[in-house]
Each structure stands twice: as C-alpha cells, then as structure tokens.
Amino acid sequence: MTTRPLRALLACAALLSLLAPHPVLGQDRGAAALDHLVHGMLVTPRVLVIAAHPDDEDTQLIAWLSRGRHVETAYLSLTRGDGGQNLIGNELGEALGAIRTEELLAARRIDGGRQFFTRAYDFGFSKTAEETFKHWDHEEVLRDVVTVVRAFRPNVIVAVFSGTPRDGHGHHQVSGIVAREAYDLSADTVRFPVEAYGPAWEAQKFYRGARFTGVQATLSFNVGEYDPVSGRSYAEVAGESRSQHRSQGFGVLQRRGVSMDAVARQASRVNDATPPTSERSIFDGIDTTLARLDAGLSPAARTQLIAARAHADSAQAALDFRRPEHVLAHLVAAARAIGEVRNEWQPCVTPVGWGRREDAVRCTAAQLDADAAIAQMYERSSAAVLQAAGVAVEATAERELLAFGDSMPAAITVYNRGKAPVVVSAVTLNGRTRALPAAVTIQPDSAWQTTANLVGLVDTRPWWIGGRKGDLFQDRRSPSDGLSRVSAVSSGLVRGVAVREDVRRESDAGVTLAVDGVAVDSPRMPVVYRFADPVLGEQNRPVGGAPAVSLAFDRGLEWMVAGKPVDKLLRLTVQSYSTAARSYVMRVVAPTGITVDSATRTVALEPMESRELFIRVRGTLAEGRHSFGVIAEGEMGRYAEGFRTVEYSHIHPIRLYRTSGLWLQAVKVNIPSGLQVAYVQGVGDLSAAGLRQLGIPLTVVTPQELPLLDLTRFTTVIVGPRAYQASPELRAYNRRLMQFVKDGGTMLVQYGQQEMARPGLMPYPVSLGRTAQRVTLEDAPVTVLNPKSRLLTWPNAITESDWDGWVQERALYMPGEIDRLYETPLSMHDPDEPANRGAVLMTAYGKGTYVYTTLSLFRQFPAGVPGSARLFVNLLSQGRGPKPPAKPARVQP
C-alpha cells in the first residue's frame, strides 16, 4: 500500500459519522392524535424558533404553539452541540453532536415541533459574538439560516436570544444576530440568489424570547393551559420534551398549574403601527384564514376550500372519541376537497429542488404561502382520515442491517381496525411507488400484507459530516475550524440545511388507499426490524445500510512511550453484514520502527459472522504521531471503516463510524516506578485507557466500591471530571478518600462545577463565581508563577511547548477565591480578563498530597496532545519520588 492512501485514511481516523434513521415514532395515538388532526387540519400558520444549541430551544413555546394551537412550529439550532460535555457517557465531539441531534429529535416527537440545523460546528464555549465569528464565517451561517427560512416559510420568526452580550455564550449572541438578519434579508435575491437558496420569502413578524433574556416582554401567555384530551398541560409536555436533553443534565419537573411564557415583538411588516404591548397573539395583523389563499386559486378550487372548511367544522362539532367513525364522513369529504385543490394546484417549486431560476422568480409570496399551506392541509387531512378509520400501516424486515448491494424482503402490512372497509391501490418503498395489479379491499378487523424487495440501502450518512460518500481515503478539515461542514447538494441544488432533520431516513415505506372512495397517502415511515426483548418487550429498530464488512479498532488513538520498546496486541473487530460467505485479504500498514506478525492475512467470513483479530505490534517509535491502518480487499471492493452502535433508552440507536486506521501517539514521558492508580471515572471521561497505554498500572473503580475497597493497594486515586456532580455516592464516600490522603496517598481531582465549593469536598475552601471563569482560547498564554514547582518539574519538565496543540479550551470552571494553603504554579486568562491561578492547585494534607486541576485534560489527553500526557503524569505522581522540603500542613478534623 502506498503512503498517501494510508495518510488520508488516518486523517479520517477521528472522523465519526452517524447512521441513524430518525423515526420509529412515538407519536400520539388514538384520541389525542385524532383531536389534534381534526382541530388542526386547516390551521396553516408557521413559526420558526431560532437559537444556537440543542437544549436552547423554548420547549414551552414550541409545545404551546404546536400541541395547543396546532401551529406548524420548527426549531432551527445553529449547531448540534458537539462542543458540550456529556453526563450520560464518554462520547465527545461529533459523537456527542450525534447524540444531541437525536435528543432534539426525541424532544420534537414529544412537543410536536419540526427540526432544522445549520452547518455550524460547536467548537466550545465562546465569550463574545466577535470570537464566535472568528470560527464561523458570518455570511455562511447567515446563508444557512436564510435557506431554512425560505424552505420552511414561517409567518413569524422567534429568536430565543437577544443578540447582545447579556446572552452570555457567544454562540447565543450570534444566533440572536443572524435570526434578525435573516428576517431582514431573506427576500434579498441579489445577495441570496434563488437558484442557490430557494425562492425568496419574508416572515411578517419578528419576536425575541423574553422569559430569561432580559428583553422586555410585550406578550405573555399561559403555557400551563390544561388539555383535557391528553390529560396534561402544555407546560407538562414541554417539561418532558426538555428532559430529553439527558446528556446535558437538563431533566426538569413537569409542572402543573399556571406557567407563563413571554416574547417581545421587535419588528412587523403587517401591524407596525399597533403598539406591541396591545397584541393578543403573535399572529395579530397576519391573515391566517384560508381566504388568504384565494389569490392563487381558481374559482373551482376556492369552492372546494370553502367546502373543506365546512366539513372540518362539522367534524369538530361531531367528534366522538369512542366512535370516531361518526366523523369519518366529514373528514373524508374534507380530504376529498383538499385533494381536489392539491390536484389543481401547480406548485411553483419542483419536488426535487428549487427549480429553474426563471420558474422560481415567478413565485409570488402568496403562491409560496399557498404551496406550503396546501401540502400541510393534505398531509393532516390524510392522517385524520386514517386515524378515524382505524387504519395502521407498518413496514418490517427480518434484520436490522443490510449490506450495501444486498437485498432482503420487507413486509408492508395494513391493519383495518375500524368499522368500514378500505381499499389499497399502491405501495411505496424507498421512493418507488408500485401500483397493485388489482386494488385490495380490507374488511374491518382484518389485515393485508404484501412483500417487496428492499435492495441495497443507499449510504445516507449524515449530510453535516463533510466528505464525498464512498471515498474511503479523503482528507477532511477539522470541524473545530468552525463552519467546516459541507452541505449536501442534490440534483436540484437543494442545500442540505433546507431538509428537515425529522424527515431524513434510510428507508421509506407507505401505501395509497381509499376510504369511502377518497384516495389518501399514509404517512411515510421507515422499515423497522421488530423483535421482543425479554425485559423491555417490543423493540423497533430502523433498518439501515452497512458496508459488506466493517473493521473497527477499539480506539482511534493509542499512546506509546517514545524511544521505548513496545510489544502489544491491538484488537480489530471484523464483522460481515453480507448475506453471502466472502473472503478478504487484510493488509496492515505500519510506520517505520513498527513490525506486525503478518503484513497480510486472508480472512473467510460466513454470512453475518463477527470475528476478533489480534494484531501484535512490536518495535520502537520516535516521538510524534504515526499512522497505522488495516484495509480489507475483497471481490466486491476495498473496505476501510467500521462502526459501533451507541444506545441510550431515550433516543434511537446511533451508529458511529470511524475509519479502520488509528494514530500511534509516541510521547517522551517519564513514568515513576511503583505507581498504582485507582481511577473513579467522571463524565465524558476517556483518560483511563490512555494512562494504561503509557504503562501505568490502573484500576477503574466505581463510587459504589469505595466503602469496601482496600485503598492501601494504591499510591494514587484519580477522580474524573464532574464525578462529584454526577455521583451522590462519591460525595457520600469522599471522607474516606480524604482519609486516604491524610494517610499518605496522592489524590488528583479533575474539574467540577459549583459543587466543589461545598464544605469538606476539598481539603481547604475554594469558591467559584456565579459564572465561573473559563479560559476558552486553546492557545491562551500560560504564565508560570513558580518555575520550581514540583508539579512542573517532576517527573517531567513542563516547557512552553507542552501548551502547544491544545484543542477547544485551556481550563474551565476555575475557582476565583483559593485558600492560601494551596500552591498555584500557573496563571492564565482570556484576552481582556483578569488572570486566574485556578488551573492547578496542590496542597499537603496530612501525610499525603491533594491536587485539583481545572485544565481540560479530559479533552486534550484523548486527542493525543503530547503536553497533556506529561502534565497528567506529573499531577498524578505528586507524593512519589524525591521529597520536597517539608511544609506545615493544616488538617481539618
């Protein structure tokens, strides 16, 4: 193998991609769903809420609008939250962004909203809009927001944030800025040509959130309003929705009773002369009736629309949840009328794209509004008919993963649980509609099933992760650069951001059927693999595509000590997803200085077989980062990637892809002899494996083990980041850890938040400001206050170069006030902020040594930053080796 493909393969080694179709929906059923559809069938206004991250959205506003007022409501998050922290697992970066994407989709399934994203990458905490725009190209972010506005066509835009420094986070400020700019500029076809960004659209009104932003409210509303059909208030729905952001620890109460939300009107194109405080609704001044659509309709279509209104009113008046068939005739008549309008309507935008420029230019605002409204009414009226008729459709397959190029049968089943027969005329699978040779009538209390061949699912990896699909060897710019994601572009030039995230899926199935002579389309759904879990019961997992064979190392980076002989086994999991037996030649390419037991080997795999290969790596590496990889070559092609499935109970399964290459990170580091480390892992904590790779004997222990654990076996106890916050048991057993230090042990605690100021958690007190100080610039200067500090000289000399190559940040949640008994050898700060000595604290405590650090080692060490390895070893080694001159130590009783 040549060096160039391997180098490209390794450049992608850190690339994580997501392969998780979204809906196996937990949508409302029965009375609640029917009530929403019947009352919302002809409700056509649209509201777009804009903010920066997953968990920034105003779920109360979304739930109240969508569930309570049946308004088509969407949330646009500029980022996927990649730069956050993770309270439920160890995934960080793009893997965390994938989890938080799914958490947003889970939230939308509950509160009824839609979901959009831009291409902006969450590069971590930012203090100002100016700093954020250094990472994100201002014009590109604005282009994405304009694209979403033109695709969704909202009547009202609500920016969650004010766009000013009082928003705090720089990303929040930017979201508020570009939301207003998009409101002002989305109709500018010179700056944003229609062929690239879609037909021009202007929202009629612009609001900002006023519940917590400091903006003076002009309109308040009670989201605690009770819905007797669902048995909950919209505030309760919003509480459940917000609690889906589990990775960020945002579980909240589902509060009953009055709960007020508020917005502030800041611009209007329809009632600007009306004082904002006199408004009774965000739609004041906007014509939300169906009469506004008349201008683009023929007289016959207008007549049908009037008929649809009359039948919808009759359905609402006659609605009986125990006898939904009583309203079926009205719903069928309404659906027939809407269908007639839809059949006559000539869309001014083709389904596959924006259309030719001259076509798009001819679209008036009224036509674009009618286009969206008619599509929405048809979708809701069809769903209402099926719900009242008791029709359910499902699509299942015999397994979860299908190799690209293979095929398997998919069963599409229609259940008629209603009181009247229904007639199936066509089946759709993956975009291809097949008319049945003869229509099939399904009588009440019966079902009909057909089988279709599901062929080679396309590789629909997330559009937000850059790179050409199918190109295994391709360099890619680090997403930490900011706006580096490449928007997918279809043949119709539809930018990827224009497609709602909640409708993206790998497989797609549905049927066309007639109820009382009116043809309706069932909502599209993914094909699922259904099975019974002995504990959890029925499970439905979306069917997805996979390579014929996947290759996955345990990690994407392995630490080694530079200049020291190494002899270790690397485990490679090889998994076939093919339905045929196949053989592959495995080619191993290693850097100079490393030999493997066999450069090539042949592996024969039975269908769906999984096997573990152990590659013995021996030799010596010079300091630096070296590429290592394995590629499988077979009759169907070359394979150089694998994935692991991430599963949490509140979201759909996620498959995180990584190339079958890894980095061998060789670092010059001195490891003291005699170390024995107990590691209590924190949140988003991947450091334990790396310390083991450096040759440090290490045992991972849980907080629950601490009461009975023999701590005298260990020289050092390490507590991971935010472990005290995440574990009540650790807080309860902390006295035992303090005794371990008093008795002569070394304890290293990585950063926490406000809980670290609790009395007794640390040997001597510290305090954190209400907004604790961070050093967000990863290249911020570091000032050494005490060059002779043992923390910086033993067992490794820490030099200026050890602060090079850091990612995302230097330190976070730094204490502002520090007891004088702590040694603080370092100082750092962001520009225009006071210096802070809280990066590393060390003190003698009894016979032992206590070290506390707010340095972001949890990011640097797994990223392979050489200086972080030497710093980590120094911090955990204090208390060993040559003893410094004795200092008086105060010990708390």
Side-chain angles (χ1 to χ4, degrees), residues 573-635:
T573 301
V574 183
Q575 169 74 57
S576 169
Y577 293 100
S578 174
T579 55
R582 293 180 179 174
S583 293
Y584 302 93
V585 175
M586 302 290 178
R587 302 194 181 277
V588 180
V589 180
T592 302
I594 291 293
T595 61
V596 296
D597 47 3
S598 175
T600 63
R601 65 176 75 179
T602 300
V603 176
L605 296 175
E606 295 298 316
M608 314 306 293
E609 181 184 359
S610 178
R611 189 179 301 181
E612 290 184 346
L613 304 181
F614 291 89
I615 302 172
R616 188 175 184 184
V617 175
R618 289 175 286 184
T620 303
L621 282 176
E623 185 176 24
R625 178 168 289 192
H626 307 270
S627 55
F628 183 93
V630 178
I631 292 177
E633 296 178 346
E635 58 180 331

Side-chain angles (χ1 to χ4, degrees), residues 180-200:
R180 178 56 192 263
E181 290 175 340
Y183 171 81
D184 292 335
L185 299 170
S186 59
D188 186 340
T189 57
V190 175
R191 186 168 175 182
F192 306 104
V194 294
E195 68 268 25
Y197 305 103

Side-chain angles (χ1 to χ4, degrees), residues 256-444:
R256 297 176 176 86
V258 173
S259 180
M260 301 303 293
D261 202 349
V263 293
R265 195 188 86 194
Q266 298 209 332
S268 174
R269 294 186 170 100
V270 290
N271 66 338
D272 192 48
T274 303
T277 53
S278 67
E279 287 190 332
R280 300 175 62 87
S281 164
I282 61 174
F283 299 112
D284 279 4
I286 299 175
D287 184 2
T288 60
T289 69
L290 297 184
R292 78 183 195 278
L293 308 179
D294 286 352
L297 300 177
S298 69
R302 292 174 199 163
T303 301
Q304 293 292 344
L305 209 52
I306 294 171
R309 174 77 275 173
H311 286 295
D313 291 342
S314 298
Q316 293 175 22
L319 186 57
D320 182 343
F321 295 122
R322 289 204 171 274
R323 297 175 179 82
E325 65 275 8
H326 288 185
V327 298
L328 187 56
H330 292 301
L331 295 177
V332 167
R336 178 186 290 112
I338 293 169
E340 291 293 334
V341 174
R342 177 174 176 262
N343 291 337
E344 182 183 294
W345 177 251
Q346 295 296 320
C348 54
V349 182
T350 61
V352 295
W354 302 134
R356 299 186 305 275
R357 180 180 174 87
E358 59 270 22
D359 293 337
V361 168
R362 287 205 303 266
C363 297
T364 66
Q367 288 174 316
L368 290 169
D369 185 25
D371 200 47
I374 291 169
Q376 181 178 312
M377 288 189 293
Y378 178 76
E379 179 183 340
R380 291 187 179 186
S381 63
S382 297
V385 167
L386 295 177
Q387 190 70 231
V391 173
V393 183
E394 66 180 24
T396 58
E398 59 193 20
R399 64 180 183 274
E400 182 180 356
L401 293 174
L402 176 65
F404 304 132
D406 282 357
S407 64
M408 65 178 173
I412 300 174
T413 308
V414 181
Y415 298 91
N416 183 359
R417 300 179 290 185
K419 303 296 184 182
V422 299
V423 180
V424 181
S425 59
V427 173
T428 299
L429 183 63
N430 283 357
R432 300 183 66 178
T433 299
R434 173 174 58 91
L436 300 181
V440 176
T441 300
I442 308 174
Q443 297 297 331

Side-chain angles (χ1 to χ4, degrees), residues 91-352:
E91 297 85 5
L92 293 173
E94 285 187 336
L96 177 59
I99 290 172
R100 297 185 70 183
T101 295
E102 283 295 327
E103 288 181 331
L104 265 182
L105 293 171
R108 296 296 80 79
R109 289 192 287 271
I110 292 167
D111 60 34
R114 310 303 190 184
Q115 186 61 53
F116 290 94
F117 293 94
T118 76
R119 293 170 292 148
Y121 183 83
D122 180 355
F123 57 85
F125 188 82
S126 171
K127 295 178 179 177
T128 66
E130 291 73 22
E131 179 191 346
T132 298
F133 280 132
K134 290 179 182 177
H135 291 265
W136 298 348
D137 183 283
H138 189 155
E139 187 70 8
E140 284 296 319
V141 175
L142 179 58
R143 286 170 180 167
D144 281 3
V145 177
V146 167
T147 300
V148 172
V149 168
R150 291 183 176 184
F152 186 63
R153 302 171 200 166
N155 303 98
V156 176
I157 293 174
V158 180
V160 171
F161 294 104
S162 69
T164 67
R166 64 173 170 256
D167 295 330
H169 201 315
H171 299 180
H172 295 170
Q173 298 175 44
V174 165
S175 74
I177 292 169
V178 297
R180 178 56 192 263
E181 290 175 340
Y183 171 81
D184 292 335
L185 299 170
S186 59
D188 186 340
T189 57
V190 175
R191 186 168 175 182
F192 306 104
V194 294
E195 68 268 25
Y197 305 103
W201 177 261
E202 277 188 331
Q204 289 101 317
K205 299 174 79 174
F206 179 81
Y207 290 82
R208 292 197 189 274
R211 188 155 53 97
F212 55 82
T213 60
V215 175
Q216 183 65 43
T218 62
L219 177 67
S220 299
F221 37 89
N222 177 25
V223 296
E225 178 185 342
Y226 179 67
D227 174 20
V229 178
S230 66
R232 297 199 293 174
S233 72
Y234 305 115
E236 290 177 84
V237 174
E240 182 184 359
S241 172
R242 184 154 185 77
S243 295
Q244 302 310 300
H245 297 295
R246 297 183 190 178
S247 67
Q248 304 308 295
F250 279 161
V252 298
L253 294 174
Q254 298 179 30
R255 297 189 181 278
R256 297 176 176 86
V258 173
S259 180
M260 301 303 293
D261 202 349
V263 293
R265 195 188 86 194
Q266 298 209 332
S268 174
R269 294 186 170 100
V270 290
N271 66 338
D272 192 48
T274 303
T277 53
S278 67
E279 287 190 332
R280 300 175 62 87
S281 164
I282 61 174
F283 299 112
D284 279 4
I286 299 175
D287 184 2
T288 60
T289 69
L290 297 184
R292 78 183 195 278
L293 308 179
D294 286 352
L297 300 177
S298 69
R302 292 174 199 163
T303 301
Q304 293 292 344
L305 209 52
I306 294 171
R309 174 77 275 173
H311 286 295
D313 291 342
S314 298
Q316 293 175 22
L319 186 57
D320 182 343
F321 295 122
R322 289 204 171 274
R323 297 175 179 82
E325 65 275 8
H326 288 185
V327 298
L328 187 56
H330 292 301
L331 295 177
V332 167
R336 178 186 290 112
I338 293 169
E340 291 293 334
V341 174
R342 177 174 176 262
N343 291 337
E344 182 183 294
W345 177 251
Q346 295 296 320
C348 54
V349 182
T350 61
V352 295

